[in-house]
Amino acid sequence: MHQTLHLTLDEMESQLEHIRQSPSDNGVLEMIVCRPDVDQRQMLFEAKVDPEQGLLGDSWLTRGDYRGGPANADTQINVMNSRVISLLAQDRERWQLAGDQLYVDFDLSDENLPVGSKLTIGSAVLEVTAEPHTGCKKFAQRFGPDATKFVNSPEGKRLHLRGINARVVQGGTVRTGDTIRKL
């Protein structure tokens, strides 16, 4: 496999307008990733989500909180904008390295999806939570330190370039290609 070069902050910022053009409604679920264990990824065409267990087969519930406590229901489902991860990863096969479960072509900004917003994807309903989703050490290693600066900048946080956290309020099935809509 070839070495992927990390983009500079200027290269990333030059693509902000393209990212801002993500649909504000009627977006698309581009990729589903299950994380059966730490640093393991499984790309799926279809997945079931559940209000108690999150994405079935994912390690969210058993892995617990990153601080060592029990799993936080407000971080059940991690959602990232597909335009952002496409830019940072530079190769669709590397999207899964971000560690999110759902990659969507959808505007995740504060203005479009304030905390408490509900989304339908397939037969499931998710609710956006207040739990911040920020770039971590692993994210910086995989996509470069400038990627972390990009997603954690004031504009990056407003647009939720690193993504959002959500909880499942109605279980159901989600499939790649499903429409994502605000309720």
Side-chain angles (χ1 to χ4, degrees), residues 28 30 80-87 95 103-106:
V28 177
E30 299 276 347
M80 188 169 185
N81 180 293
S82 60
R83 295 177 190 217
V84 175
I85 191 58
S86 180
L87 172 66
W95 286 19
Y103 297 87
V104 297
D105 188 12
F106 198 74

Side-chain angles (χ1 to χ4, degrees), residues 19 74-75 77-85 88 98-104 106-110 113 115 119 128-136 139 147-148 150-153 155-166:
I19 293 165
D74 285 349
T75 63
I77 304 293
N78 310 132
V79 183
M80 188 169 185
N81 180 293
S82 60
R83 295 177 190 217
V84 175
I85 191 58
L88 301 180
D100 298 87
Q101 298 139 309
L102 304 180
Y103 297 87
V104 297
F106 198 74
D107 177 0
L108 303 177
S109 71
D110 284 333
L113 289 179
V115 170
L119 300 165
V128 177
T129 67
E131 190 70 31
H133 191 29
T134 57
C136 63
F139 189 84
T148 304
F150 180 61
V151 300
N152 289 339
S153 70
E155 182 69 354
K157 286 181 178 181
R158 187 184 70 73
L159 296 172
H160 292 284
L161 298 182
R162 178 57 192 95
I164 58 170
N165 283 302

Side-chain angles (χ1 to χ4, degrees), residues 20-88:
R20 285 187 190 105
Q21 291 172 8
S22 298
S24 59
D25 209 4
N26 295 315
V28 177
L29 176 58
E30 299 276 347
M31 183 181 284
I32 304 167
V33 178
C34 179
R35 308 159 309 183
D37 207 342
V38 174
D39 292 329
Q40 290 183 0
R41 305 287 187 269
Q42 180 182 12
M43 288 192 283
L44 305 172
F45 168 74
E46 175 181 290
K48 293 193 182 314
V49 295
D50 177 84
E52 282 80 43
Q53 298 179 47
L55 191 136
L56 298 187
D58 190 79
S59 63
W60 163 79
L61 186 60
T62 57
R63 194 175 60 244
D65 185 272
Y66 71 94
R67 294 176 286 255
N72 178 351
D74 285 349
T75 63
Q76 252 182 352
I77 304 293
N78 310 132
V79 183
M80 188 169 185
N81 180 293
S82 60
R83 295 177 190 217
V84 175
I85 191 58
S86 180
L87 172 66
L88 301 180

